[in-house]
Amino acid sequence: MPTESPSTPTPFDTLGGEDAITRLVERFYDLMDIEPGYAALRATHGSTLDDARQKLTWFLCGWLGGPQHYIERFGHPRLRARHMPFAIGVVERDQWLACMDQAMTEVQLPPALRQQLNAAFFQTADWMRNQASDTPVG
């Protein structure tokens, strides 16, 4: 067995591994399902969240430096292309970010990691928008 060299822990390690990611994703989708403030976000999903829960867990494991479950099953994530069928505007982006931040808070992620992930999630979520900016009606 090769000897591992000391290295900086990945966010996957800092978060607590796959079990911690699963808890985070479960809380994220539970909140999306029950909180009225996330209604527009919930509406972009199908009648069940089971598939989304599993795929986000697999994706986050690899994205955070752990096992590449998503890539092993589906290949490159191609996030923007895979999300094109769904209308994602500023409202959906902001609800996704708020829901994830609430989930990270509730599962008690370390504040520094939560801040780091919020910044990375914002960049990705903003890039996923495929609807024109919301404009005031009036």
Side-chain angles (χ1 to χ4, degrees):
M1 179 185 286
T3 307
E4 294 286 330
S5 61
S7 62
T8 305
T10 64
F12 177 84
D13 298 325
T14 303
L15 201 138
E18 195 163 342
D19 288 343
I21 290 172
T22 299
R23 283 191 302 277
L24 172 63
V25 170
E26 289 297 317
R27 189 61 191 147
F28 171 76
Y29 283 109
D30 288 349
L31 290 167
M32 183 192 304
D33 213 23
I34 62 173
E35 293 287 337
Y38 306 132
L41 175 64
R42 179 61 181 90
T44 65
H45 292 72
S47 60
T48 178
L49 296 171
D50 295 340
D51 190 48
R53 288 174 193 265
Q54 188 64 72
K55 286 181 178 176
L56 184 58
T57 300
W58 288 337
F59 173 77
L60 287 179
C61 281
W63 186 71
L64 293 169
Q68 297 293 319
H69 300 312
Y70 187 93
I71 290 173
E72 290 167 1
R73 287 165 176 82
F74 304 107
H76 189 280
R78 298 175 24 241
L79 291 179
R80 188 159 165 77
R82 291 185 196 270
H83 286 80
M84 273 300 175
F86 310 101
I88 302 171
V90 171
V91 169
E92 292 79 11
R93 177 202 64 194
D94 290 350
Q95 286 185 15
W96 195 99
L97 293 166
C99 188
M100 182 55 78
D101 185 59
Q102 183 177 347
M104 289 190 295
T105 299
E106 290 186 14
V107 300
Q108 300 178 344
L109 258 64
L113 179 59
R114 193 173 126 238
Q115 183 178 8
Q116 177 187 358
L117 290 176
N118 272 330
F121 286 143
F122 177 82
Q123 287 183 319
T124 302
D126 194 54
W127 178 67
M128 302 292 278
R129 287 189 304 122
N130 56 29
Q131 300 296 303
S133 295
D134 299 278
T135 54
V137 177

